[in-house]
Amino acid sequence: MPDAIAAQDPVAGFSGASFARMIADSPTLTICLRGLHDQREHRLAQALAEATGTAPDDITVQTAAGLLSTVHRILFRRIQDLTLAGHSNDEIARTIGAEATQAFDLLEPALADYAA
């Protein structure tokens, strides 16, 4: 995620004010966005399962993917909110960079030994 923030990648949420407003104002697009987040979580679970030699429906794989995906979804939403509040991408990147570190640090106790 740090690379995506530094690059102000649209996939991370840096979509611009008009696109962010369009998503925020459309229940249909908001549901579609949630579906994309769910697909990413599913793909992450598959990748973790493959990397650890476990089944994709293993509870540990599902939980690890869910935790990581939740942080990504929260940061994506935060970027959208800051965009809609009128902050520049540079300001948002600085804010989200620090917040991403804090958010992922919260996961370390839960995931530090995962797949070790």
Side-chain angles (χ1 to χ4, degrees):
M1 182 94 186
D3 291 341
I5 293 167
Q8 300 177 7
D9 190 335
V11 174
F14 290 91
S15 60
S18 60
F19 189 79
R21 175 59 52 209
M22 180 178 65
I23 297 292
D25 289 346
S26 171
T28 300
L29 292 177
T30 300
I31 290 168
C32 289
L33 179 59
R34 179 58 193 217
L36 291 172
H37 288 305
D38 290 347
Q39 287 177 27
R40 185 186 55 251
E41 182 177 324
H42 177 74
R43 299 284 189 267
L44 178 57
Q46 289 177 323
L48 290 173
E50 185 177 312
T52 60
T54 55
D57 64 348
D58 177 83
I59 191 66
T60 304
V61 168
Q62 293 293 314
T63 302
L67 289 169
L68 292 165
S69 294
T70 296
V71 169
H72 186 276
R73 184 178 41 79
I74 289 167
L75 293 171
F76 185 99
R77 181 68 210 169
R78 182 84 167 114
I79 291 168
Q80 295 291 289
D81 290 345
L82 291 170
T83 299
L84 293 172
H87 297 275
S88 73
N89 279 351
D90 290 337
E91 292 173 312
I92 295 168
R94 281 191 298 276
T95 299
I96 295 299
E99 291 178 352
T101 298
Q102 182 181 0
F104 284 109
D105 284 351
L106 289 171
L107 297 183
E108 187 166 351
L111 299 176
D113 295 327
Y114 179 68

